[in-house]
Amino acid sequence: MEENIKIEIKDFSFLYHKKQVIHNLNLKIHKNEITSFFGPANGGVTTLLRSLNRLFELNHDTHTKGDILIDGKSIFDPDSSVTELRRKVGMVFEIPAPLPISIFDNVAYGPRLKKKKSKSEINDVVEQALKQAALWDDVKDRLKAPAMSLSGGQQQRLCIARVLALQPEVIMLDRACSGLDPISTAKIEESLFQLKEEFTIVIAPHNVQQAIRISDRAAFMLMGHLIEAGTSDEVFGSPKDQRTNDYITGRFG
Amino acid sequence: MKPMKPSARTSEYLAKGMIWAAAMSVMIVLVAIIVYILIKGLPVLNFSFLTQNPYNMGRSGGIASTIVGTLYITLVAILIAVPFGIGTAFYLAEYTRENIITRIIRFSAESLAGIPSIIYGLFGFIFFVIYLGMGWSILAGGLTLAFMVLPTIIRTSEEAIRAVPQIYREASYSLGATKWQTIIKTVFPSAIQGIVNGIILSVGRCIAETAAVIFTAGSVLSMPFSLFDSTRTMAVHFYILASEGVSMENAYGTAALLIILIFVVNVGVNLLVSRFINKNQKR
């Protein structure tokens, strides 16, 4: 099974303004699976996701200990490129964050950043990404329309398409469905099931039910500590830790 | 005895009325000024007034050379002030954290904004005209005005840049953009409306400035041909015509054209920008 490890988090700690928000976390994330990090607010999940693509570096006064390996290589290696890392590990935010440009330009944003690509290459990438995100049929006639004109669910799928256009290896979704209606959420979850054939998916679900619905593996985080991790059946079926059990049965949260 | 206290409903009406009255009186004053000047000035405006150079000290002839002088000086000032202003704004908003240096820059800019324009004129006269030997010229005038509007451009641009939602930056970075790419492709287009507003404000101040220009560009009436020629701007022309009693009609004609020019710049640039924005960012 070892060859199926995509990301390895090793003794990872995160400090923000000298306050420790992740404590010595160890975990392996598997290829072609949906791994969800769930738990109540302030559990460190968002910080962990923002660590995987080093987006936390936009904030000041942050400090990390330990290491994160992707395909066996440290993402903190000073020789590695952070922009390459972010293309490899795409991220979808909690609030749909389309840029204030057209639908097409949003999806083409990533591909256009890197070297010269011909117009037809870009067109192909955009079309394929929109199809993978199940948005193509909705927008194919109005690619030039502003992205802000889409509904919330469409905007979030646009953000997924935008990540797919990077041709990434890992896709992270940070509570990406929290503001969406059940139909939009179902569409996105359906897309995720197909996308995991090709990608590694890391998700912070917005509630336990979503975690149960879509996870292959799950990790329960509480106040910056990883309490329990394992396959979906293990964690949700027979949690070993009392706190995990209490949280998923709704006793606290 | 209790003091009289108006009911909630009465005070609501009272407040509404006072606010309405304030807005209306401002509008009436504004419109009155513009209408008055246009009534006095428009009859003078005709083709030959716009195309002929003034002669006999402006008593007769047109104001062609002053129009050219005004546009020339404004162009020089804006071309110099805009890149430095926007550059400084991006430095303050994107490239540094709050520290002693940013505070000094911001404090300097704010102090500069409060200095009367005639002080800029004096500085420009001593530094550009005399010390650097530019003489009374469009270049010296333009440079002086550039200094004068720089604080406005820095402040409005910085505010516009800071108003760009942080999530846009994060989205851009998360797609693998570098800082420069993020600024050029995302932050700048989102901030352009605010930045342009600052530039329009500055253009208006350049066109309307007198004190700083008399000291640095002089008041020669002939048509300027190079950056090193002295010139007289429309505002200066108006000032001299009116204050020395040369020709009130021509003074009002010049004033009317000034107002129209500022109006045209305002509307024109706004149309241009909203078209650019409509293409992309309309929500």
Side-chain angles (χ1 to χ4, degrees):
Chain A
M1 283 300 277
E2 280 302 300
E3 67 272 19
N4 265 341
I5 305 295
K6 182 70 185 173
I7 303 173
E8 189 174 357
I9 303 165
K10 279 173 135 175
D11 207 23
F12 184 71
S13 296
F14 191 101
L15 288 92
Y16 186 61
H17 290 307
K18 294 191 178 129
K19 184 176 175 280
Q20 190 155 5
V21 289
I22 294 178
H23 299 264
N24 307 76
L25 196 146
N26 285 288
L27 192 73
K28 288 171 180 161
I29 296 172
H30 294 244
K31 236 177 239 180
N32 304 114
E33 285 187 353
I34 298 177
T35 303
S36 58
F37 289 89
F38 69 103
N42 277 330
V45 172
T46 296
T47 304
L48 183 65
L49 296 196
R50 287 170 71 93
S51 301
L52 295 182
N53 66 353
R54 284 172 64 186
L55 201 62
F56 70 85
E57 289 175 2
L58 300 184
N59 301 88
H60 300 287
D61 291 328
T62 56
H63 187 64
T64 62
K65 278 185 234 155
D67 207 352
I68 297 175
L69 310 177
I70 294 183
D71 293 327
K73 267 179 261 156
S74 168
I75 63 168
F76 297 109
D77 185 343
D79 293 332
S80 70
S81 144
V82 66
T83 55
E84 279 306 312
L85 171 70
R86 289 178 188 155
R87 305 175 74 83
K88 202 191 285 181
V89 185
M91 180 157 189
V92 179
F93 296 89
E94 174 167 4
I95 311 159
L99 293 167
I101 46 182
S102 74
I103 295 170
F104 185 92
D105 288 343
N106 258 286
V107 185
Y109 193 91
R112 278 177 182 155
L113 292 173
K114 260 210 89 192
K115 65 184 182 255
K116 274 267 172 262
K117 278 206 177 75
S118 74
K119 248 196 160 128
S120 66
E121 274 178 288
I122 300 256
N123 286 341
D124 290 346
V125 171
V126 170
E127 182 176 340
Q128 206 209 335
L130 284 169
K131 277 179 176 161
Q132 273 180 304
L135 192 60
W136 177 250
D137 290 331
D138 294 16
V139 301
K140 65 181 174 210
D141 300 320
R142 48 173 179 143
L143 293 170
K144 294 252 159 62
M148 299 291 187
S149 68
L150 296 172
S151 73
Q154 288 172 326
Q155 286 187 14
Q156 206 55 301
R157 274 185 283 151
L158 179 71
C159 292
I160 295 176
R162 191 168 67 178
V163 166
L164 292 172
L166 300 171
Q167 290 157 338
E169 295 167 19
V170 180
I171 301 172
M172 301 190 294
L173 297 100
D174 184 9
R175 297 189 177 85
C177 302
S178 62
L180 303 186
D181 60 88
I183 297 168
S184 303
T185 303
K187 276 186 182 162
I188 287 179
E189 287 175 4
E190 206 175 300
S191 310
L192 292 181
F193 281 123
Q194 293 182 2
L195 291 170
K196 76 172 179 183
E197 306 292 324
E198 206 178 326
F199 306 96
T200 304
I201 295 175
V202 180
I203 171 168
H206 62 280
N207 57 29
V208 178
Q209 288 71 27
Q210 188 182 36
I212 296 172
R213 275 198 305 276
I214 64 173
S215 316
D216 296 304
R217 278 167 208 275
F220 176 56
M221 287 186 70
L222 189 62
M223 307 302 278
H225 293 275
L226 178 67
I227 304 298
E228 182 168 353
T231 66
S232 194
D233 288 344
E234 289 166 1
V235 174
F236 300 120
S238 49
K240 292 189 202 74
D241 194 289
Q242 188 57 38
R243 287 167 295 182
T244 314
N245 190 44
D246 289 351
Y247 183 70
I248 57 185
T249 51
R251 211 153 291 154
F252 77 99
Chain B
M1 228 170 68
K2 268 191 187 168
M4 275 260 287
K5 210 175 162 198
S7 73
R9 201 171 157 152
T10 322
S11 57
E12 179 72 21
Y13 278 125
L14 230 73
K16 210 169 170 181
M18 285 195 304
I19 288 168
W20 186 83
M24 280 304 129
S25 18
V26 167
M27 213 174 77
I28 289 168
V29 170
L30 217 69
V31 170
I33 293 174
I34 292 174
V35 167
Y36 179 73
I37 288 172
L38 288 183
I39 287 174
K40 288 276 217 173
L42 279 181
V44 186
L45 289 185
N46 56 36
F47 187 70
S48 65
F49 188 73
L50 298 179
T51 53
Q52 277 178 9
N53 279 355
Y55 59 96
N56 201 359
M57 295 307 289
R59 222 164 259 120
S60 37
I63 53 165
S65 63
T66 67
I67 299 174
V68 173
T70 304
L71 296 180
Y72 218 156
I73 284 194
T74 304
L75 193 72
V76 170
I78 294 299
L79 284 184
I80 294 167
V82 162
F84 283 100
I86 296 181
T88 307
F90 269 106
Y91 175 76
L92 290 174
E94 297 283 330
Y95 279 91
T96 52
R97 303 177 63 180
E98 282 302 305
N99 60 28
I100 187 82
I101 296 169
T102 60
R103 251 175 273 149
I104 288 173
I105 295 176
R106 207 170 283 121
F107 180 73
S108 314
E110 239 125 74
S111 310
L112 280 176
I115 293 177
S117 62
I118 194 153
I119 308 285
Y120 283 97
L122 212 59
F123 166 77
F125 178 69
I126 292 165
F127 187 65
F128 296 121
V129 176
I130 309 263
Y131 182 72
L132 294 182
M134 291 177 189
W136 279 332
S137 62
I138 288 173
L139 186 61
L143 282 166
T144 307
L145 289 188
F147 275 98
M148 192 182 80
V149 298
L150 203 54
T152 309
I153 294 183
I154 293 174
R155 202 166 46 189
T156 49
S157 302
E158 191 191 347
E159 269 165 31
I161 295 164
R162 285 193 190 280
V164 175
Q166 184 64 17
I167 189 83
Y168 291 176
R169 294 185 184 85
E170 295 200 343
S172 175
Y173 283 119
S174 77
L175 293 168
T178 61
K179 182 157 203 158
W180 180 240
Q181 286 170 327
T182 299
I183 286 176
I184 287 296
K185 294 179 67 118
T186 295
V187 181
F188 185 70
S190 304
I192 186 101
Q193 177 86 69
I195 292 174
V196 166
N197 281 344
I199 296 174
I200 291 176
L201 215 67
S202 307
V203 169
R205 285 184 64 199
C206 286
I207 291 177
E209 182 55 38
T210 52
V213 182
I214 294 185
F215 274 107
T216 52
S219 56
V220 170
L221 272 174
S222 56
M223 180 66 78
F225 287 103
S226 87
L227 277 178
F228 300 100
D229 286 346
S230 171
T231 191
R232 182 188 287 191
T233 64
M234 287 158 68
V236 172
H237 189 54
F238 170 83
Y239 170 69
I240 291 174
L241 288 185
S243 67
E244 295 179 3
V246 181
S247 160
M248 277 322 266
E249 289 97 77
N250 286 357
Y252 275 117
T254 314
L257 191 64
L258 253 178
I259 289 184
I260 295 171
L261 192 65
I262 291 174
F263 182 75
V264 166
V265 167
N266 232 313
V267 172
V269 175
N270 265 322
L271 275 181
L272 220 79
V273 172
S274 64
R275 219 161 137 194
F276 171 83
I277 290 171
N278 269 346
K279 224 173 77 190
N280 298 324
Q281 1 203 143
K282 207 174 171 187
R283 279 137 215 241

